[in-house]
Amino acid sequence: MSGSDDDAILRSIRLFREALEQTQQLYVEAGEIAEGSYGWLAGDDAAGETATGSPGSLSSTSSMASQMDDLHQGFVMKVFAETLPDPNARTMEQRQLGRVLLEHIWHEPVMGTALHEAIDWLISTAQDLSWYDVTRPFLELPSLRDSWGEVETMAARLATMIAVVDGREDDADRSRIHHIQDELEAAKAFAKRHPSAPTPSAFQDHSSQRSPKRAAEPDDSETIDHQADIDHARDAIAWLRGEAKRLREGTEDRAGISKDAAAKSTPTVRGGGGMPPQPAPPKKPTNQTTEEPADDRTPEQRLADARAKLDRLIGLEAIKNQIQTLANFLNMERKREEVGLPTTRPSLHMAFVGNPGTGKTTVARIIAEIYGALGVLSKGHLVETDRSGLVAEYAGQTGPKTNAKIDEALDGVLFIDEAYTLVDEDGQDQYGREAVQTLLKRMEDQRDRLVVILAGYPREMTRMIRSNPGLSSRVGTTMHFDDYDPEALCRIYELIAAKAKYELPTETRRRLLRGFTHLYFNRDRHFGNGRTSRNSFERSVRRLANRIAEAPEITRELLVTMLPEDIELPNLSDEQLDALSQPEGMIRVLCTECEAPQVVDDRSLGGDTTCSSCNETFKVSWGSPVIDVPMIDAPIIDAKTPDAKSPDTTGSPEPTDANLPQDGSLRSDEDQGS
């Protein structure tokens, strides 16, 4: 074997190890998010299991994160086994990736004759898992569903690395990679049709009857039953606890593989290019009878963490200012109370009005954390629901059902999505009216222990609040969530891509900005906003995976670079994107040094430019379009004649600011909510 071959193997090992670590980070961070959203669901069960040797109490953030860490091991094992189902077909390079994977899950080196035996164990163990098994939290926990695209991304990346590491990728390898993508789609479709499935075999039976055609993506506009979501989340969390324990015990057992034999050294590559044995990281403790440490952050640290989460959100400048002002006021009142001065307690109930995908639920979760850190609410958790979680099917049952949901949210925040569905215009909905009356009474009686946030479309929410004096008097704050403009949509896309270690070159950025600009100016009230960016990223990753599957050699650059041809946006064909991207264009940006507005060529995206005011060089990540980009199948209206009813055909469009914020901000502070 030549030195160049050795270098290629070492490079592949490094990339594979990085991908394993990114997958682990994805699962652990998902566990932390799930703990913040749903840890309260399993508190009693978890506490009862702590003394019996279960994974421990869910009372701390690290507990569910630890269980998701265990589950990620099953996921990466499943990817490896599905990519190399035939033990006799493994090459030396693929065995080395198997060694890296075993070190990742066992936290110690595996060498010598034990390596073959260990890989056989890995594949046989993974065959007992289904894709539904190893991805279920992302399918059934509402707060994790948005991360599904990242799960698919990591599966495709790992499988591609394994298949082509030997440089001999063929049609069979490509077929297995596509099969993994198909099975993940089948798991997603199965979870939607059969929520909270009792056994993995149910999915296996279902998937075996699938046609080779990929399952269609679910309709994003489908109404979500929040009560069902809560029930599914409770079942999924209980399942996660047991599954994590089973996976942990299975990897620790290792089918009787000798630890001494596993650690015995053997050369990995010739030519002096082998990697020296790496020191094993500390093993996770196996004694699960010790409770996880509680959250020992001070209120100041909790408040700082919550504010940092808010600041990291793209756009939402007006919302951030409102929340900052409210937090400052509540903090001042707390200080006044500490020194014996009189205080006032405003109504903290809120209305969030805005179209789907504008970040309402995310902001509600952060507000709950802020209230908890300030001591306004003792727990600071968020309970999500909608009409189905409050209204019963029969007379006399709605009141108790609404009270039960409120009891879950006590000392925290109750977030009611599509709240306007509780009130009908003709006043004939007695069940919805009963839920509202019950809610109003509890909002007043327990205002010190409960904050209610009503959310929904702008027009419907405005009509609902104005039509009910009880609501209008109790809802002290209304926050308007405007649609994301094209620049913000691009920044959301880049944020998701950067988290998965993808890079966006200049022409890719131009294609995204032109495409999102077209979608933005042709949107309706059902525009997906942030979900549009996420869905576009997921589709683009699938294209990238198909493109690199046919590459003769997989390099880091190939794995992390999204080219223009990889970009796929909803409701736009490749020909339409090509047409949108061809004309020259200008964008408005702000100098990062002096904040002076600049108008630059959009071919500067992703590169550097020099400020015309301070002469400093700064990076141009994104910008707001300042010319009329040709719209596909959409009339171009002269900006000087907003009341025009037909396109201006007298000449080329005049340069405009494309109705985007004049100050270069990501979102307009103008109220677009009603």
Side-chain angles (χ1 to χ4, degrees):
M1 183 180 295
S2 66
S4 60
D5 291 336
D6 290 348
D7 292 340
I9 295 176
L10 294 176
R11 183 170 59 249
S12 298
I13 288 175
R14 187 187 74 252
L15 293 173
F16 188 64
R17 184 176 283 114
E18 289 178 359
L20 291 173
E21 292 171 352
Q22 291 167 16
T23 304
Q24 182 180 26
Q25 182 181 9
L26 170 64
Y27 270 70
V28 170
E29 290 180 354
E32 294 171 351
I33 294 173
E35 173 67 26
S37 300
Y38 301 103
W40 56 274
L41 283 175
D44 295 338
D45 295 339
E49 292 184 6
T50 300
T52 61
S54 72
S57 172
L58 290 176
S59 60
S60 68
T61 302
S62 60
S63 178
M64 195 173 291
S66 176
Q67 293 163 10
M68 287 294 289
D69 188 10
D70 292 329
L71 190 62
H72 104 276
Q73 297 179 6
F75 176 82
V76 295
M77 290 167 60
K78 182 67 175 175
V79 173
F80 189 88
E82 290 292 316
T83 310
L84 297 176
D86 183 4
N88 297 323
R90 292 192 300 268
T91 64
M92 184 273 291
E93 294 88 352
Q94 290 167 336
R95 285 196 298 272
Q96 292 308 313
L97 294 190
R99 175 181 62 80
V100 173
L101 173 55
L102 289 165
E103 290 179 2
H104 177 76
I105 63 177
W106 285 353
H107 303 296
E108 61 184 32
V110 184
M111 300 291 186
T113 57
L115 179 59
H116 297 275
E117 185 181 354
I119 293 179
D120 290 341
W121 167 87
L122 186 156
I123 292 178
S124 64
T125 301
Q127 288 174 347
D128 294 333
L129 302 172
S130 72
W131 287 110
Y132 179 79
D133 282 332
V134 296
T135 60
R136 180 172 177 178
F138 295 97
L139 296 169
E140 295 197 2
L141 296 182
S143 58
L144 302 187
R145 286 176 184 151
D146 284 345
S147 298
W148 177 253
E150 296 177 61
V151 174
E152 292 183 306
T153 298
M154 296 314 304
R157 178 179 292 187
L158 289 167
T160 301
M161 290 180 181
I162 297 167
V164 304
V165 65
D166 57 0
R168 294 190 290 271
E169 186 251 4
D170 54 23
D171 290 340
D173 292 326
R174 287 190 288 270
S175 176
R176 282 191 287 270
I177 294 173
H178 288 307
H179 178 72
I180 290 175
Q181 294 173 321
D182 288 343
E183 289 303 304
L184 286 170
E185 287 296 324
K188 180 179 180 180
F190 172 77
K192 203 161 187 63
R193 288 191 294 267
H194 306 279
S196 298
T199 61
S201 60
F203 165 67
Q204 292 169 347
D205 293 341
H206 166 79
S207 63
S208 65
Q209 299 171 4
R210 292 181 64 252
S211 66
K213 187 176 181 179
R214 296 186 66 166
E217 293 186 4
D219 185 1
D220 290 336
S221 64
E222 184 174 340
T223 301
I224 298 175
D225 185 334
H226 283 265
Q227 180 57 45
D229 274 343
I230 295 298
D231 294 338
H232 302 160
R234 181 181 287 107
D235 294 340
I237 290 170
W239 170 88
L240 173 61
R241 191 184 309 116
E243 185 68 7
K245 179 181 179 182
R246 185 176 74 86
L247 283 169
R248 185 187 307 108
E249 292 175 346
T251 56
E252 289 168 357
D253 177 66
R254 308 178 188 182
I257 298 174
S258 166
K259 180 177 180 179
D260 293 338
K264 187 178 296 183
S265 176
T266 189
T268 57
V269 292
R270 292 186 283 115
M275 295 181 64
Q278 300 295 318
K283 291 183 63 176
K284 291 186 297 182
T286 59
N287 181 10
Q288 296 297 329
T289 60
T290 302
E291 289 192 17
E292 299 281 357
D295 185 358
D296 57 356
R297 292 177 300 168
T298 65
E300 291 75 16
Q301 290 173 329
R302 293 172 60 192
L303 181 60
D305 291 345
R307 284 177 170 171
K309 290 180 183 178
L310 185 65
D311 291 339
R312 286 195 296 267
L313 297 179
I314 302 296
L316 302 174
E317 301 306 323
I319 300 297
K320 293 175 182 178
N321 291 335
Q322 281 185 273
I323 294 174
Q324 184 65 52
T325 298
L326 180 59
N328 290 340
F329 172 78
L330 294 174
N331 196 34
M332 180 189 70
E333 291 299 291
R334 185 179 63 172
K335 299 294 186 183
R336 287 175 60 90
E337 183 178 15
E338 290 175 356
V339 298
L341 293 174
T343 62
T344 58
R345 176 68 181 266
S347 173
L348 298 180
H349 306 304
M350 302 179 180
F352 283 7
V353 298
N355 291 328
T358 48
K360 296 186 292 293
T361 305
T362 301
V363 171
R365 189 173 294 114
I366 294 174
I367 286 178
E369 294 179 16
I370 291 175
Y371 285 169
L374 291 172
V376 176
L377 298 169
S378 60
K379 293 182 180 178
H381 65 292
L382 181 77
V383 174
E384 302 173 49
T385 190
D386 64 354
R387 177 186 171 92
S388 66
L390 303 174
V391 176
E393 298 180 5
Y394 303 102
Q397 295 181 351
T398 292
K401 185 173 184 178
T402 301
N403 278 318
K405 183 60 63 177
I406 293 172
D407 289 340
E408 292 180 5
L410 281 180
D411 302 315
V413 174
L414 178 63
F415 180 85
I416 305 176
D417 198 13
E418 298 179 346
Y420 55 84
T421 60
L422 295 171
V423 178
D424 61 343
E425 295 185 13
D426 56 15
Q428 300 300 312
D429 182 8
Q430 59 177 345
Y431 298 126
R433 187 166 60 251
E434 181 182 359
V436 171
Q437 294 305 317
T438 303
L439 183 65
L440 287 173
K441 187 176 187 306
R442 297 290 295 274
M443 288 169 68
E444 183 62 30
D445 293 347
Q446 295 180 301
R447 58 184 302 180
D448 292 336
R449 298 186 60 194
L450 177 69
V451 171
V452 175
I453 297 179
L454 308 173
Y457 285 105
R459 288 198 297 270
E460 287 84 347
M461 288 301 301
T462 300
R463 186 163 52 243
M464 172 190 180
I465 294 174
R466 288 177 177 173
S467 66
N468 191 308
L471 281 176
S472 60
S473 64
R474 287 171 174 81
V475 175
T477 302
T478 298
M479 294 191 179
H480 296 273
F481 289 72
D482 300 333
D483 287 337
Y484 286 107
D485 63 35
E487 180 183 354
L489 294 171
C490 289
R491 290 188 182 276
I492 294 172
Y493 188 104
E494 183 181 33
L495 184 67
I496 301 170
K499 187 175 180 181
K501 306 295 184 183
Y502 287 105
E503 298 174 0
L504 307 176
T506 296
E507 287 304 315
T508 303
R509 290 172 181 266
R510 291 185 72 247
R511 193 176 184 89
L512 282 169
L513 184 58
R514 299 295 181 91
F516 281 134
T517 300
H518 172 80
L519 294 177
Y520 177 79
F521 285 108
N522 289 276
R523 73 193 189 282
D524 58 20
R525 66 198 302 258
H526 303 294
F527 181 58
N529 286 287
R531 296 172 190 167
T532 299
S533 295
R534 182 175 293 277
N535 291 339
S536 300
F537 171 74
E538 294 174 4
R539 297 181 183 190
S540 301
V541 167
R542 295 191 190 103
R543 280 198 172 191
L544 172 61
N546 291 334
R547 176 170 63 83
I548 67 176
E550 301 181 5
E553 180 182 357
I554 301 299
T555 64
R556 178 182 177 84
E557 181 180 5
L558 197 60
L559 287 168
V560 303
T561 305
M562 277 192 170
L563 299 180
E565 56 264 35
D566 298 325
I567 300 302
E568 180 178 345
L569 300 184
N571 304 319
L572 283 177
S573 66
D574 289 343
E575 291 75 16
Q576 289 174 316
L577 277 175
D578 289 341
L580 289 168
S581 304
Q582 284 176 359
E584 297 180 356
M586 307 296 287
I587 55 174
R588 170 178 279 113
V589 298
L590 288 181
C591 172
T592 57
E593 299 295 330
C594 67
E595 297 188 349
Q598 312 282 309
V599 175
V600 300
D601 193 310
D602 65 0
R603 285 172 294 188
S604 300
L605 285 169
D608 295 331
T609 191
T610 301
C611 176
S612 59
S613 297
C614 66
N615 292 323
E616 293 291 336
T617 300
F618 66 96
K619 183 176 178 61
V620 180
S621 296
W622 299 101
S624 299
V626 294
I627 65 168
D628 284 329
V629 178
M631 297 296 160
I632 304 300
D633 298 327
I636 300 177
I637 307 299
D638 189 341
K640 296 182 179 179
T641 57
D643 296 330
K645 301 186 183 300
S646 61
D648 178 12
T649 58
T650 60
S652 302
E654 294 290 333
T656 77
D657 288 335
N659 296 327
L660 296 181
Q662 299 296 313
D663 59 358
S665 61
L666 299 182
R667 299 286 301 276
S668 172
D669 290 346
E670 182 179 349
D671 178 11
Q672 300 176 0
S674 58

